[in-house]
Amino acid sequence: MVIVTKTTIPQSHLDSMIEEFKTKGFELNIIRGKDSIVIGLIGDTHALDADRLLLNPDVERIMRVQEPFKKASRKFHPMNTSIKVGNASIGDEKSFVVMAGPCSVESKEQILTVAKSVKESGAAILRGGAYKPRTSPYSFQGLELEGLELLKEARRETGLPIVTEIMSPHLVEIFENNVDIIQVGARNMQNFDLLKELGKTTKPILLKRGLSSTIEEWLMSAEYIMAGGNPNVILCERGIRTFETYTRNTLDLSAIPAVKKLSHLPVVVDPSHSAGINWMVESLSLAAMAVGADGLIVEVHNDPKSALCDGAQSLDLDQYANLMKKLGAMSTHFGKQM
Ligand code: PEP
Ligand code: MN
């Protein structure tokens, strides 16, 4: 951290500032310029509150040199993190992992039909919501525990690992014992109690980007999970709120190379919630591979017209099979295996 003081700072104030930082264990590098004094603080400044330091009338400006996230940062962990789930390695430079399935688990027949079909077309992981974060309390809220049981049945039938969304910290133990990847939805990206509980497990966590979250806020949420002791975080860009109304959200494709530069964590794209429109899913999926995403999580339904949630953005089984063919053809160009 760099602190720039005003030229008018009395020597006694400067001395007591220096003393205070030294007693906090920092090494100081002080440069006296013509117009200001620059203090370089060397040490772990993460716990220092820059805004509070600015309350000091002798301080002109504060600049952070390092990002506030550490465990998620590529600076401290230059190699990519790759997370193994079933036969898939998410984050492995040579692989592109596709997770697919319905927005919500609706019935045994529905989840088994979709699971078998997406497996056949080449999905590595089955998705399906059992606890649904719906905007309206009158909308279908998910089959909850019964939904988890149906997902497990689909896993038994197909061998596909399962990813499903958690909403409450009270359910962490149940999810830990029953699912392969725990999804944190966009609406819960900053549910810090939930993140702290998930930090106590070692399950892979699929952390979706918040509806209006910056990349830094998103990585700070990953940091919560990692700081708790769980290094297995997979980031998921799922579109952000912008002024545009044509699409449900705006897919921030630039977030993928940005996250790859800032962090060693794997990052996947959700092309379904990004646009909210079924016919855009294919283009956005191909774009995701082109910008370097480690995979996708795609909504697929056997009968999108009658889906209880997110039918408009769901691919039907044939559309999904077609998408997988196109991704497969493109993957050879990018040296990725699917
Ligand atoms: C979902 O995956 O079904 C979902 C609700 O996603 P998001 O949290 O990105 O809106
Ligand atoms: Mn959905």
Side-chain angles (χ1 to χ4, degrees):
M1 180 183 279
V2 174
I3 300 167
V4 183
T5 70
K6 290 182 183 153
T7 35
T8 51
I9 183 169
Q11 186 62 42
S12 59
H13 291 197
L14 183 62
D15 290 343
S16 59
M17 236 166 106
I18 291 172
E19 203 41 50
E20 192 186 326
F21 287 126
K22 280 191 175 157
T23 46
K24 283 187 175 146
F26 292 107
E27 263 183 64
L28 275 71
N29 189 354
I30 300 165
I31 303 162
R32 287 169 194 274
K34 190 161 66 70
D35 297 322
S36 56
I37 297 168
V38 177
I39 306 173
L41 284 189
I42 304 157
D44 186 356
T45 57
H46 285 90
L48 282 186
D49 180 348
D51 291 334
R52 199 179 59 77
L53 292 174
L54 274 172
L55 286 176
N56 181 340
D58 295 319
V59 172
E60 174 89 37
R61 221 151 26 107
I62 308 254
M63 285 160 284
R64 280 206 180 268
V65 184
Q66 275 178 4
E67 298 95 2
F69 45 90
K70 227 178 172 148
K71 293 188 189 298
S73 170
R74 198 179 270 285
K75 264 196 200 124
F76 301 100
H77 190 301
M79 302 293 284
N80 285 340
T81 284
S82 162
I83 298 173
K84 240 186 128 37
V85 181
N87 297 325
S89 290
I90 308 161
D92 178 333
E93 258 167 63
K94 292 200 168 56
S95 54
F96 190 78
V97 178
V98 182
M99 312 177 213
C103 178
S104 311
V105 180
E106 298 170 7
S107 67
K108 180 169 163 173
E109 195 205 342
Q110 175 244 18
I111 192 66
L112 289 182
T113 307
V114 177
K116 286 177 189 162
S117 177
V118 296
K119 162 132 194 201
E120 178 85 18
S121 311
I125 295 166
L126 174 67
R127 69 148 284 153
Y131 292 83
K132 295 304 304 174
R134 303 304 299 275
T135 302
S136 165
Y138 308 116
S139 302
F140 175 59
Q141 302 287 307
L143 296 181
E144 304 186 341
L145 282 179
E146 188 195 338
L148 285 186
E149 287 308 316
L150 293 175
L151 279 170
K152 282 163 66 183
E153 193 167 341
R155 176 174 58 193
R156 277 196 299 277
E157 289 270 330
T158 59
L160 292 177
I162 51 180
V163 52
T164 191
E165 178 168 355
I166 192 167
M167 295 207 292
S168 160
H170 309 297
L171 291 172
V172 169
E173 203 181 321
I174 292 181
F175 273 62
E176 195 180 5
N177 293 331
N178 289 283
V179 313
D180 302 291
I181 303 179
I182 306 177
Q183 175 175 328
V184 175
R187 289 153 194 82
N188 274 307
M189 188 204 84
Q190 287 190 318
N191 181 341
F192 298 117
D193 283 343
L194 178 61
L195 302 180
K196 283 182 196 163
E197 280 307 307
L198 293 169
K200 296 178 191 161
T201 77
T202 52
K203 273 281 153 175
I205 310 296
L206 182 85
L207 178 65
K208 289 196 150 193
R209 181 178 182 179
L211 306 172
S212 303
S213 297
T214 63
I215 290 170
E216 186 170 298
E217 286 163 343
W218 186 20
L219 290 170
M220 287 309 287
S221 289
E223 191 77 13
Y224 258 90
I225 300 168
M226 299 174 90
N230 184 354
N232 302 314
V233 180
I234 302 156
L235 299 161
C236 176
E237 162 63 39
R238 45 78 72 206
I240 49 173
R241 282 264 163 98
T242 67
F243 52 82
E244 184 53 69
T245 53
Y246 188 78
T247 45
R248 183 174 177 185
N249 293 291
T250 297
L251 175 58
D252 182 7
L253 278 175
S254 61
I256 310 307
V259 161
K260 285 276 166 203
K261 193 174 177 65
L262 293 169
S263 177
H264 54 90
L265 295 173
V267 55
V268 301
V269 166
D270 173 343
S272 312
H273 292 86
S274 292
I277 309 171
N278 145 305
W279 58 263
M280 272 196 198
V281 170
E282 182 180 295
S283 331
L284 299 183
S285 300
L286 299 176
M289 182 183 271
V291 291
D294 295 299
L296 297 174
I297 179 163
V298 191
E299 286 187 344
V300 181
H301 199 283
N302 53 330
D303 182 13
K305 292 186 303 307
S306 29
L308 295 181
C309 184
D310 287 349
Q313 66 193 32
S314 299
L315 297 182
D316 68 24
L317 304 177
D318 291 339
Q319 288 168 330
Y320 176 72
N322 265 329
L323 167 65
M324 290 302 282
K325 279 195 198 120
K326 291 204 179 165
L327 283 168
M330 195 167 149
S331 66
T332 51
H333 177 75
F334 287 98
K336 300 250 186 198
Q337 297 227 304
M338 286 176 53

